[in-house]
C-alpha cells in the first residue's frame, strides 16, 4: 500500500496542472469510518429531480448498404452545397443505422452502470477536459462516484457520455464503501459536509485512484504521440457541406489506425479516450448527443463550410467589439466607413435589424418569455380566411453577410448548438446589445430567439423542438438530403410489385380498424373467426399494413424510413416516416388493400392454442373511432361540453361526424372480440403484467378550416416575413384518473385494440423464435443489486391492494422502475411488465422502422417455406453471418442497428412530449396574460416528483386538466408556509409564471390538502 501511495503522490503535481478541476459537490478530507453516517443521516432527503410520469419503455432504425464505410454523410445544416446533385448521389448520402457504428460493439449492451465502471463526468464547456470517476452505486435519484482525485461525488442521474465497462473488479470498490454515504444527499448537505472534512481515507481508495491515474496518463501520452493528426481531425474527417456521423472506434482507426497494424488493428482503450478528448477539444467542429452518446459512441462531424461560417461570424463580431471599445475609450462616434470591414458587416446588419424590430413591435410586443406577444390583429377562421396572414417585406433584403449572422444567431438561440462553447455563447448578446432594443431584457437565448422572430426570420409561434440537430427532421435545416429525396419520391412514378402476391389469401369478413378520427395512416385492424368444429375456440386475426411486400431494404423508401426511424407527431405538423403518397394512399389499410395477418387461435380463457402468419387481401375494412364502437354497443360516446380550453377564437368543428351503422353480425363480432381480449388481459396480468395509465390532455393547432396542423414554414432568411394573427390552440382536458392492473377496470374498446396489438407482437416473436430468425426483441433488464420489485410490492403495495385502497401514483411509478429498463436484443428475452415471454413490435410498419425490419424478415421466411415446402429452421451460424441466405438481415446487422435504434426512439418520444409542452405553455400564457380564455384561480395538484438535489421545484399533475406542471417549494415565494412537498401530496396552487421558451408552467403552492402515503 505504501508503494501505491508513493506512486500517487508522485502524480499529484502532474494531475493538479492537467487533470479536470474538482466539481463543486465533493468532500475534501478523510472521515472516521462511521462519521459520515452519523453526520449525514440526519440530513437525509427523500427528494429528487423532475420527471414526467410516463409509464412506458425507458428507451435509432437502420438500413445498411456497406458496413465497411468509415463515415456516414448527411445533409448540411446550411445551404452551402451546389444547387444540383444526381438522384443516386443524394440516395447514397442517406443515413443508415449501421454505418458509422463499430462492428465489434454489436449485440445487447446494458444501458446502466455497474459498480466498477469507469465514467467521464461532463463539464458544461467543451474546451475543458472532463472528470474521470468510478461508479459506486445508485440510489433512487442519484448516482455515486469516486473520482480520480480521491473524492466521492453524487450526481442526480447524469448523462454519462463515456464509460469503460468493468474497469475495476467490484471487489476493489468494497474497500471504500464504509466511508461513503449510503443514501441520497442534497447539495446543501454536501456544503455542510465540507465543514466535517468527510472523505475516504487515502489508503482505502489508493488502488482505485492509481488505476484511474494510470489510464489518464496513458491517454495523455497517446495524445502527445499522435498530436499532429489528432489536432487536424476535423480537416481529415469532415465533408465540405454535409454532416457526417462516425463511431469513436472508426474515427480512431481512420485517424491513427495505421500505427496499430502490429496489434491486429486493436487500439488500446486509453488511446481511444485520447482520440475522444481530441474531438472535444476541437470545439464546435464535433458534437454528440449527450442523451445517448455512451450507448451509441456516435460523433457528429460538422461540415467544413458550417464551421467556417461560425468562425467567420465570430471574427466579425470580435472586430465589431474592438471598434466599439475603441470608440468608447476615445469618446468618439465612428461612421460605418470608419469601422473595420468585418465590423461594417455587423453594423449594417444591426441597423437593418433595428428597423425590423420597430416594425414588428407595431403589432406584437416584446416579452421576457422568449417569445413575442400575440398579434394585435385578430383574424378569425372562416371559409375564405385563415387565422394567420403573412406580410413579406420585399423592400428589405438580407445580404449574404446578413444571412451568415442570422444562421449564427439561430445556432445559438434556436438549435442550442453553442451550449458547450461559452466563447460562442458570449457573442450572441453582442448583436442584441448593438440594436439597443433589449435594454430591459436579459441578453440570453430567450431574447435571442425573440430577436429572430422580431426581424421576421422565425414565426412568432415557432416550436423550436424541431430544430434539435439530433432529430434530423426534414425541413428543419439539419437534413436537406432527406427533404429532397422525399420530394422526389412523392413526385416520381415508382413501379412496385407485390412480392407476396402468389401467397395472398382473400379475407372477406369485417375488419375493425379502430383509431382517432383524424388518423391518416391506418396500420392495423382486427377481426374474429368462429370455428364451427371447435365451439369455444376462435381465431383472432390482427391485420397489419404490408408495405414491405412492395419494396426491399435497398429501396429509396427504406432509406427514408431508416433515417426517420418513425413518424414524428407534433401538434403543428406530422413528419411521416414514409411519404404520404405511399403510406396513406397505397399501403394504409382499406378495401382491396394488402395486409400481413397475425392470427391466434384462442379459447375463452385467453390461452393461445395455435398461431399462424398469412399474407392477405382485405375486402371490407371498417374505419371506426372508439366513440363509434361505444355507440354501436349502446353507449353514448359523447364528450362533455366543458372538456376543452381554446385560445385564438373558436376551433374549427371539422368534418361532419360520420354515421357508422354496424350490422348485427358486426356488433356481435365486436362483443366477442371484447370478451376474448378481456380474457387475454386477465391472463397477462396473472403472468405479472403491470398496467398503469395516466391520461394526458390532447392538443390541436389550427390556422384554417379542415384538419388540424399548420403549413410548412421554414425560417425566412432572404427577406423579412411578419405574421398577422395567431393560430387557434385547443387543449382537450383529460382529468387525472390513475388506473392500474391491480384494480381492474379500463376502457374495453381501448383494451380491445391494445390486447390485439400485444397478441400480434407475441405471435410474431414466438414464430421467429421457433425458426431462429433474428428480429428486434424487446424485454426488461434490471440491476442485480437494485431493490427487488417483489419485496417492494410486499412491503409497500400489497397492504394497499389487499385493503382495496387506491394505489398512489408515486409508489406505482417506483415499482415499475424497479423492474428495470427496456432493452433490445436479437435473442428472445422476457418482458415482465407486459406479462409476455417474448415480444417484438410488428403492428406499425407505416410508422416505425423497427417494425419494417420484422416484416421483411418474416416475409422472406414465408417465401422460403413456400418454396421448400417445410418450416424454416435456421442454425445459429446461418442467422449470425452477414449473408444469411434468404433473410434480408443477419443477426450481426440487426445488432448494429439496435445501437442507434433504441436511443433514437427514446429521443423521438421525448421530442413529441416537448412539442406538446410548447403548445401547452403557449395556450396557458395566452389565456392567462392576454385573457383569451378563462382559467381557474386555483388548481388542485398531485406531487409525483418532489423537489430534490439541484432543483427547488416539484413536478405535479393538475387534477382538472391531467397535465403536468412545476411547483416552487413551499415558502420559496411566500406561499404554502414552510411545509415541504412530498411525493403523493395533494396541494392547492395557483399560477405563478409561464416560460414559453423553456416550455414551463410554474405554480405557487397555497395550502396542503393531504399528505401522500410513504413507501
Amino acid at each position: 500500500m505504501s508503494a501505491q501511495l508513493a506512486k500517487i503522490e508522485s502524480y499529484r503535481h502532474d494531475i493538479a496542472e492537467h487533470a479536470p478541476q474538482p466539481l463543486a459537490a465533493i468532500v475534501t478530507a478523510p472521515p472516521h469510518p462511521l462519521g459520515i453516517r452519523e453526520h449525514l443521516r440526519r440530513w437525509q432527503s427523500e427528494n429528487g429531480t423532475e420527471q414526467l410520469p410516463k409509464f412506458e419503455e425507458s428507451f435509432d432504425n437502420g438500413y445498411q448498404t456497406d458496413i465497411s464505410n468509415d463515415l456516414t454523410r448527411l445533409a448540411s445544416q446550411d445551404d452551402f452545397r451546389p444547387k444540383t446533385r444526381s438522384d443516386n448521389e443524394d440516395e447514397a448520402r442517406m443515413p443508415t443505422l449501421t454505418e458509422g457504428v463499430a462492428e465489434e460493439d454489436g449485440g445487447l449492451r446494458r444501458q446502466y452502470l455497474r459498480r466498477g465502471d469507469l465514467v467521464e463526468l461532463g463539464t458544461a464547456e467543451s474546451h475543458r477536459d472532463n472528470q474521470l470517476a468510478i461508479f459506486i452505486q445508485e440510489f433512487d435519484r442519484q448516482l455515486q462516484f469516486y473520482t480520480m482525485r480521491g473524492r466521492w461525488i453524487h450526481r442526480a442521474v447524469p448523462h454519462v457520455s463515456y464509460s469503460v465497462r468493468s474497469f475495476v473488479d467490484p471487489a476493489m470498490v468494497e474497500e471504500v464503501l464504509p466511508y461513503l454515504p449510503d443514501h441520497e444527499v442534497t447539495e446543501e448537505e454536501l456544503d455542510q459536509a465540507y465543514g466535517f472534512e468527510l472523505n475516504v481515507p487515502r489508503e482505502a481508495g489508493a488502488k482505485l485512484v492509481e488505476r484511474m491515474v494510470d489510464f489518464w496518463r496513458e491517454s495523455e501520452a497517446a495524445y502527445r504521440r499522435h498530436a499532429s493528426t489528432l489536432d487536424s481531425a476535423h480537416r481529415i474527417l469532415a465533408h465540405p457541406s454535409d454532416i457526417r456521423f462516425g463511431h469513436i472506434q472508426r474515427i480512431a482507426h481512420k485517424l491513427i489506425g495505421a500505427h496499430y497494424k502490429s496489434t491486429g488493428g486493436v487500439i488500446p482503450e486509453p488511446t481511444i479516450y485520447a482520440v475522444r478528448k481530441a474531438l472535444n477539444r476541437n470545439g464546435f467542429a464535433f458534437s454528440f448527443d449527450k442523451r445517448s452518446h455512451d450507448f451509441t459512441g456516435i460523433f457528429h462531424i460538422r461540415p467544413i463550410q458550417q464551421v467556417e461560417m461560425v468562425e467567420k461570424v465570430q471574427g466579425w463580431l470580435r472586430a465589431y467589439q474592438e471598434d466599439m471599445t475603441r470608440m468608447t475609450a476615445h469618446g468618439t462616434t465612428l461612421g460605418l466607413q470608419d469601422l473595420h470591414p468585418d465590423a461594417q458587416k455587423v453594423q449594417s446588419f444591426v441597423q437593418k435589424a433595428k428597423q425590423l424590430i420597430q416594425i414588428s413591435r407595431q403589432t406584437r410586443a416584446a416579452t421576457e418569455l422568449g417569445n413575442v406577444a400575440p398579434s394585435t390583429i385578430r383574424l378569425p377562421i372562416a371559409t375564405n380566411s385563415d387565422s394567420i396572414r403573412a406580410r413579406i417585406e420585399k423592400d428589405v433584403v438580407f445580404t449574404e453577410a446578413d444571412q451568415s449572422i442570422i444562421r449564427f444567431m439561430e445556432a445559438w438561440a434556436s438549435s442550442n448548438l453553442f451550449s458547450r462553447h461559452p466563447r460562442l455563447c458570449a457573442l450572441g448578446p453582442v448583436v442584441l446589445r448593438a440594436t439597443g432594443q433589449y435594454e430591459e431584457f436579459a441578453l440570453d437565448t430567450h431574447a435571442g430567439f425573440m430577436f429572430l422572430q422580431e426581424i421576421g426570420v422565425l414565426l412568432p409561434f415557432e416550436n423550436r423542438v424541431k430544430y434539435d440537430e439530433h432529430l434530423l427532421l426534414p425541413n428543419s435545416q439539419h437534413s436537406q438530403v432527406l427533404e429532397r429525396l422525399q420530394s422526389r419520391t412523392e413526385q416520381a412514378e415508382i413501379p412496385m410489385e407485390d412480392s407476396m402476391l402468389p401467397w395472398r389469401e382473400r379475407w372477406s369478413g369485417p375488419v375493425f380498424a379502430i383509431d382517432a378520427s383524424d388518423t391518416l395512416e391506418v396500420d392495423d385492424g382486427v377481426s374474429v373467426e368462429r370455428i364451427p368444429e371447435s365451439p369455444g375456440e376462435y381465431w383472432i386475426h390482427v391485420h397489419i399494413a404490408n408495405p414491405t411486400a412492395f419494396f426491399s431494404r435497398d429501396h429509396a423508401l427504406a432509406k427514408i424510413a431508416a433515417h426517420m426511424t418513425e413518424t414524428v407527431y407534433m401538434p403543428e405538423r406530422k413528419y411521416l416516416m414514409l411519404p404520404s403518397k405511399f403510406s396513406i394512399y397505397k399501403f394504409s389499410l382499406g378495401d382491396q388493400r394488402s395486409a400481413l395477418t397475425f392470427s391466434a387461435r384462442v379459447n375463452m380463457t385467453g390461452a393461445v392454442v395455435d398461431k399462424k402468419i398469412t399474407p392477405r387481401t382485405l375486402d371490407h375494412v371498417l374505419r371506426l373511432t372508439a366513440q363509434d364502437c361505444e355507440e354501436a354497443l349502446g353507449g353514448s360516446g359523447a364528450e362533455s361540453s366543458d372538456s376543452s380550453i381554446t385560445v385564438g377564437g373558436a376551433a374549427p368543428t371539422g368534418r361532419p361526424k360520420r354515421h357508422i351503422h354496424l350490422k348485427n353480425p358486426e356488433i356481435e363480432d365486436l362483443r366477442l372480440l371484447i370478451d376474448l381480449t378481456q380474457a387475454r388481459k386477465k391472463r397477462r396480468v396473472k403472468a405479472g403484467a403491470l398496467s398503469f395509465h395516466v391520461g394526458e390532455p390532447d392538443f390541436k393547432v389550427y390556422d384554417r378550416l379542415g384538419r388540424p396542423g399548420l403549413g410548412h414554414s421554414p425560417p425566412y432568411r432572404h427577406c423579412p416575413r411578419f405574421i398577422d394573427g395567431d393560430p387557434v390552440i385547443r387543449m382537450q382536458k383529460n382529468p387525472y384518473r390513475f388506473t392500474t392492473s391491480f384494480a381492474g377496470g379500463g376502457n374495453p374498446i381501448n383494451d380491445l385494440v391494445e390486447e390485439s396489438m400485444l397478441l400480434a407482437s407475441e405471435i410474431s416473436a414466438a414464430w421467429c423464435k421457433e425458426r431462429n430468425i433474428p428480429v428486434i426483441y424487446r424485454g426488461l433488464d434490471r440491476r442485480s443489486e437494485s431493490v427487488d420489485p417483489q419485496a417492494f410490492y410486499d412491503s409497500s403495495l400489497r397492504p394497499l391492494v389487499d385493503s382495496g385502497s387506491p394505489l398512489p401514483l408515486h409508489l406505482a411509478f417506483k415499482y415499475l422502475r424497479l423492474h428495470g429498463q427496456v432493452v433490445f436484443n436479437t435473442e428472445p428475452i422476457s418482458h415482465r411488465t407486459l406479462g409476455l415471454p417474448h415480444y417484438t413490435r410488428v403492428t406499425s410498419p407505416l410508422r416505425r422502422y423497427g417494425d419494417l425490419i420484422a416484416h421483411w424478415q418474416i416475409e422472406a421466411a414465408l417465401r422460403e417455406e413456400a418454396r421448400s415446402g417445410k418450416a424454416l429452421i435456421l442454425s445459429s451460424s446461418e442467422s449470425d453471418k452477414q449473408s444469411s441466405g434468404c433473410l434480408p438481415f443477419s443477426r450481426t446487422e440487426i445488432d448494429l442497428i439496435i445501437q442507434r435504434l433504441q436511443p433514437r426512439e427514446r429521443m423521438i418520444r421525448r421530442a413529441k412530449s416537448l412539442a406538446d409542452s410548447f403548445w401547452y405553455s403557449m395556450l396557458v400564457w395566452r389565456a392567462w396574460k392576454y385573457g383569451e380564455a378563462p382559467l381557474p384561480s386555483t388548481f388542485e395538484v398531485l406531487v409525483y416528483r418532489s423537489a430534490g438535489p439541484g432543483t427547488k421545484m416539484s413536478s405535479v399533475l393538475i387534477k382538472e386538466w391531467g397535465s403536468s406542471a412545476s411547483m416552487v417549494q413551499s415558502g420559496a415565494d411566500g406561499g404554502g408556509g414552510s411545509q415541504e412537498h412530498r411525493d403523493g401530496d395533494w396541494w392547492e396552487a395557483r399560477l405563478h409564471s409561464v416560460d414559453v421558451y423553456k416550455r414551463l408552467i410554474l405554480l405557487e403552492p397555497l395550502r396542503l390538502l393531504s399528505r401522500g402515503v410513504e413507501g
Side-chain angles (χ1 to χ4, degrees):
M1 183 66 71
S2 60
Q4 291 170 334
L5 289 174
K7 185 175 182 181
I8 293 171
E9 286 295 326
S10 71
Y11 295 158
R12 186 171 297 278
H13 177 71
D14 196 15
I15 296 174
E17 288 192 353
H18 302 288
Q21 292 299 309
L23 301 171
I26 56 177
V27 182
T28 56
H32 184 277
L34 297 180
I36 183 68
R37 289 174 175 80
E38 182 66 22
H39 290 302
L40 292 183
R41 185 165 283 119
R42 63 188 179 190
W43 301 332
Q44 185 170 3
S45 169
E46 296 178 2
N47 303 330
T49 56
E50 293 182 79
Q51 196 164 9
L52 291 176
K54 298 286 189 181
F55 300 113
E56 55 187 17
E57 295 179 352
S58 302
F59 279 71
D60 281 292
N61 291 319
Y63 157 77
Q64 176 184 9
T65 52
D66 178 10
I67 60 174
S68 65
N69 288 348
D70 291 317
L71 303 168
T72 303
R73 289 186 291 183
L74 278 181
S76 170
Q77 296 168 337
D78 300 282
D79 300 327
F80 295 115
R81 65 177 61 76
K83 295 299 180 184
T84 60
R85 291 194 191 275
S86 69
D87 289 3
N88 290 339
E89 186 175 359
D90 268 344
E91 192 170 315
R93 290 171 183 270
M94 289 302 297
T96 70
L97 293 192
T98 52
E99 291 177 323
V101 177
E103 201 166 328
E104 58 269 30
D105 282 352
L108 176 63
R109 185 179 184 189
R110 55 188 166 93
Q111 299 174 55
Y112 52 81
L113 297 172
R114 284 184 177 154
R115 185 169 292 170
D117 289 349
L118 179 72
V119 303
E120 179 187 61
L121 298 177
T123 65
E125 302 173 4
S126 65
H127 65 281
R128 291 183 58 187
D129 284 344
N130 294 331
Q131 172 101 314
L132 285 179
I134 290 174
F135 174 69
I136 305 298
Q137 57 190 327
E138 178 182 14
F139 303 113
D140 186 26
R141 314 176 197 190
Q142 288 182 339
L143 303 183
Q144 185 182 74
F145 303 93
Y146 184 67
T147 72
M148 191 171 70
R149 290 179 170 271
R151 293 160 177 157
W152 58 264
I153 179 174
H154 280 211
R155 284 281 185 92
V157 191
H159 291 293
V160 174
S161 57
Y162 172 82
S163 66
V164 179
R165 307 294 170 154
S166 304
F167 180 70
V168 297
D169 192 308
M172 190 182 297
V173 179
E174 301 289 337
E175 297 183 23
V176 302
L177 284 179
Y179 308 95
L180 303 177
D182 58 0
H183 55 271
E184 292 181 2
V185 295
T186 66
E187 290 184 1
E188 291 78 10
E189 293 167 349
L190 287 168
D191 289 339
Q192 295 181 56
Y194 269 109
F196 295 106
E197 298 186 342
L198 307 176
N199 207 346
V200 177
R202 213 172 278 173
E203 295 81 2
K207 293 179 182 178
L208 300 178
V209 172
E210 179 184 17
R211 287 293 307 276
M212 287 186 279
V213 169
D214 285 344
F215 182 91
W216 175 78
R217 295 198 70 178
E218 288 175 30
S219 72
E220 287 294 293
Y223 191 100
R224 289 191 292 270
R225 284 196 304 273
H226 304 296
S228 60
T229 300
L230 296 180
D231 290 342
S232 304
H234 189 254
R235 177 181 57 79
I236 296 169
L237 299 171
H239 184 269
S241 60
D242 291 346
I243 291 178
R244 281 177 165 175
F245 290 114
H247 188 279
I248 184 61
Q249 290 280 350
R250 289 193 166 180
I251 288 176
H253 280 280
K254 181 80 172 179
L255 294 173
I256 59 176
H259 297 276
Y260 295 89
K261 291 182 179 179
S262 61
T263 61
V266 177
I267 302 178
E269 190 61 40
T271 304
I272 295 293
Y273 184 60
V275 174
R276 176 184 171 75
K277 288 194 291 186
L279 302 185
N280 285 332
R281 291 171 182 173
N282 267 264
F284 180 72
F286 295 92
S287 71
F288 56 83
D289 187 351
K290 66 180 183 180
R291 296 163 292 194
S292 60
H293 183 64
D294 182 46
F295 186 73
T296 66
I298 300 295
F299 276 90
H300 289 204
I301 307 166
R302 292 197 168 103
I304 292 172
Q305 292 183 355
Q306 185 188 18
V307 174
E308 289 178 346
M309 179 275 292
V310 169
E311 292 173 347
K312 177 178 64 178
V313 175
Q314 185 180 25
W316 296 349
L317 291 171
R318 286 177 175 171
Y320 179 81
Q321 283 182 300
E322 291 172 1
D323 278 358
M324 294 301 102
T325 301
R326 179 164 55 90
M327 183 179 66
T328 302
H330 291 81
T332 59
T333 301
L334 300 178
L336 184 63
Q337 69 280 0
D338 300 321
L339 299 176
H340 186 280
D342 288 348
Q344 290 180 15
K345 296 181 176 66
V346 177
Q347 181 65 14
S348 177
F349 173 72
V350 165
Q351 291 174 348
K352 192 177 300 181
K354 183 176 181 179
Q355 296 172 358
L356 295 172
I357 292 168
Q358 293 171 349
I359 293 173
S360 174
R361 292 183 182 178
Q362 292 174 8
T363 57
R364 293 184 185 271
T367 75
E368 297 179 351
L369 303 178
N371 209 93
V372 292
S375 174
T376 56
I377 299 173
R378 305 303 297 270
L379 302 171
I381 295 177
T383 304
N384 298 317
S385 65
D386 299 342
S387 68
I388 59 176
R389 179 179 61 207
R391 289 183 287 112
I392 310 299
E393 297 288 335
K394 296 182 179 179
D395 295 337
V396 180
V397 177
F398 291 127
T399 66
E400 185 176 340
D402 293 339
Q403 292 179 41
S404 293
I405 297 173
I406 287 170
R407 291 182 186 278
F408 185 94
M409 296 296 285
E410 286 183 69
W412 171 54
S414 192
S415 299
N416 203 27
L417 302 187
F418 298 162
S419 60
R420 297 176 56 246
H421 311 285
R423 292 184 179 90
L424 294 176
C425 283
L427 295 175
V430 172
V431 176
L432 302 181
R433 188 178 297 108
T435 67
Q437 302 297 302
Y438 297 94
E439 295 179 357
E440 299 179 359
F441 300 93
L443 301 183
D444 54 13
T445 52
H446 282 66
F449 191 76
M450 184 171 65
F451 166 80
L452 292 167
Q453 295 176 326
E454 292 199 288
I455 64 172
V457 172
L458 297 181
L459 293 174
F461 36 83
E462 189 69 84
N463 176 9
R464 66 187 180 92
V465 174
K466 69 182 182 184
Y467 294 110
D468 183 339
E469 66 168 335
H470 303 292
L471 275 176
L472 295 167
L473 294 177
N475 304 321
S476 68
Q477 309 303 315
H478 297 294
S479 189
Q480 294 186 15
V481 167
L482 173 66
E483 182 182 350
R484 288 199 302 273
L485 191 55
Q486 280 188 330
S487 177
R488 278 198 294 272
T489 55
E490 285 274 15
Q491 297 170 12
E493 289 297 328
I494 301 177
M496 292 184 173
E497 295 183 1
D498 184 356
S499 64
M500 303 304 293
L501 183 60
W503 305 281
R504 284 206 189 277
E505 300 177 2
R506 187 164 294 279
W507 178 256
S508 58
V511 175
F512 302 104
I514 305 170
D515 218 323
S517 59
D518 59 351
T519 297
L520 298 177
E521 301 168 284
V522 182
D523 278 293
D524 54 78
V526 61
S527 62
V528 64
E529 179 183 1
R530 292 162 177 82
I531 307 173
E533 66 273 17
S534 298
E537 292 186 353
Y538 308 87
W539 282 102
I540 296 178
H541 301 299
V542 185
H543 309 278
I544 307 299
N546 196 199
T548 48
F550 296 88
F551 63 89
S552 70
R553 56 165 284 180
D554 299 321
H555 197 276
L557 289 178
K559 297 178 181 181
I560 291 173
H563 174 106
M564 286 293 297
T565 305
E566 60 182 78
T567 294
V568 179
Y569 295 94
M570 296 184 183
E572 76 276 17
R573 190 178 180 200
K574 295 177 182 178
Y575 297 87
L576 301 180
M577 184 183 77
L578 294 171
S580 59
K581 174 181 178 180
F582 303 98
S583 65
I584 297 173
Y585 301 109
K586 184 173 180 61
F587 303 139
S588 183
L589 288 189
D591 293 354
Q592 310 308 315
R593 294 276 179 90
S594 301
L596 191 62
T597 302
F598 299 82
S599 304
R601 184 170 175 168
V602 301
N603 58 31
M604 293 305 295
T605 68
V608 175
V609 179
D610 196 6
K611 61 183 178 296
K612 60 183 178 182
I613 302 177
T614 313
R616 284 196 166 130
T617 300
L618 308 181
D619 285 345
H620 185 41
V621 176
L622 291 165
R623 293 286 308 276
L624 303 169
T625 66
Q627 290 179 348
D628 293 331
C629 295
E630 290 170 1
E631 291 173 1
L633 296 173
S636 65
E639 295 179 1
S640 60
S641 58
D642 62 346
S643 61
S644 66
I645 300 175
T646 304
V647 297
T653 56
R655 298 177 180 178
K657 179 176 172 57
R658 299 173 300 150
H659 293 284
I660 306 296
H661 177 70
L662 296 183
K663 301 174 183 177
N664 286 335
E666 293 167 344
I667 294 174
E668 289 306 310
D669 281 358
L670 197 58
R671 293 188 190 278
L672 177 57
L673 281 169
I674 289 175
D675 291 341
L676 293 172
T677 51
Q678 286 297 311
R680 285 291 304 165
K681 181 178 180 179
K682 291 177 182 177
R683 180 171 286 271
R684 285 196 309 107
V685 170
K686 189 175 181 180
L690 302 176
S691 176
F692 297 153
H693 178 71
V694 180
E696 294 179 290
D698 180 61
F699 297 92
K700 294 286 192 296
V701 182
Y702 303 87
D703 65 354
R704 66 193 68 189
L705 294 176
R707 294 185 180 276
L710 306 179
H712 170 52
S713 187
Y716 253 59
R717 303 192 187 94
H718 298 287
C719 57
R721 171 200 55 190
F722 295 106
I723 303 295
D724 296 330
D726 291 282
V728 173
I729 310 171
R730 179 177 183 264
M731 179 179 73
Q732 183 68 42
K733 295 184 286 187
N734 194 345
Y736 171 74
R737 187 168 64 93
F738 180 41
T739 58
T740 76
S741 53
F742 299 115
N747 184 303
I749 302 300
N750 293 339
D751 287 345
L752 187 160
V753 176
E754 180 181 358
E755 292 300 327
S756 298
M757 299 308 107
L758 289 174
L759 181 59
S761 297
E762 182 182 3
I763 291 168
S764 60
W767 196 89
C768 291
K769 178 185 177 183
E770 291 170 356
R771 291 158 175 78
N772 199 25
I773 296 173
V775 290
I776 301 173
Y777 295 97
R778 298 167 187 249
L780 292 177
D781 186 28
R782 60 180 291 269
R783 298 176 189 271
S784 58
E785 64 270 20
S786 63
V787 175
D788 178 46
Q790 187 61 47
F792 178 80
Y793 175 83
D794 290 340
S795 63
S796 300
L797 301 186
R798 186 183 296 278
L800 297 171
V801 173
D802 291 346
S803 66
S805 302
L807 197 63
L809 174 66
H810 66 288
L811 295 185
F813 188 31
K814 182 175 182 179
Y815 179 54
L816 188 66
R817 286 189 290 116
L818 289 174
H819 282 78
Q821 293 180 327
V822 171
V823 294
F824 295 9
N825 197 14
T826 53
E827 299 285 352
I829 47 179
S830 66
H831 201 307
R832 295 185 299 277
T833 56
L834 290 180
L836 299 177
H838 25 249
Y839 170 68
T840 186
R841 286 181 172 176
V842 294
T843 58
S844 294
L846 301 181
R847 313 181 198 204
R848 297 192 298 245
Y849 183 76
D851 297 41
L852 288 179
I853 292 176
H855 278 235
W856 274 314
Q857 298 287 80
I858 290 170
E859 289 164 22
L862 287 172
R863 288 192 295 266
E864 178 61 21
E865 291 185 348
R867 184 195 65 80
S868 66
K870 59 181 181 181
L872 174 68
I873 307 296
L874 295 175
S875 66
S876 295
S877 60
E878 288 175 319
S879 63
D880 289 346
K881 62 185 179 182
Q882 289 293 322
S883 179
S884 52
C886 66
L887 298 182
F889 297 89
S890 69
R891 191 179 309 277
T892 303
E893 290 174 303
I894 296 180
D895 276 333
L896 297 179
I897 289 169
I898 284 173
Q899 287 189 49
R900 293 178 68 185
L901 173 65
Q902 188 164 7
R904 182 159 173 80
E905 282 190 5
R906 185 183 185 187
M907 175 176 61
I908 290 173
R909 187 159 53 246
R910 176 169 171 77
K912 295 174 183 177
S913 176
L914 291 177
D916 280 349
S917 295
F918 166 74
W919 290 105
Y920 171 39
S921 61
M922 178 69 78
L923 177 142
V924 173
W925 178 54
R926 286 170 56 180
W928 185 41
K929 287 297 186 182
Y930 300 96
E932 295 191 34
L935 297 179
S937 58
T938 63
F939 302 92
E940 189 175 345
V941 300
L942 168 65
V943 178
Y944 66 84
R945 198 70 164 171
S946 55
T951 178
K952 294 183 179 180
M953 295 185 293
S954 297
S955 296
V956 300
L957 283 172
I958 298 176
K959 181 179 181 180
E960 181 180 348
W961 297 349
S963 58
S964 297
S966 296
M967 186 167 70
V968 297
Q969 276 283 52
S970 305
D973 198 48
S978 59
Q979 292 174 294
E980 65 174 349
H981 303 164
R982 297 180 188 173
D983 291 347
D985 283 355
W986 283 97
W987 284 76
E988 183 183 25
R990 66 187 175 195
L991 271 173
H992 177 278
S993 61
V994 180
D995 189 326
V996 178
Y997 182 82
K998 289 185 177 180
R999 306 171 290 265
L1000 179 67
I1001 309 292
L1002 190 60
L1003 304 178
E1004 173 189 351
L1006 296 177
R1007 63 189 180 95
L1008 177 66
L1009 300 177
S1010 65
R1011 273 292 182 205
V1013 177
E1014 296 187 12

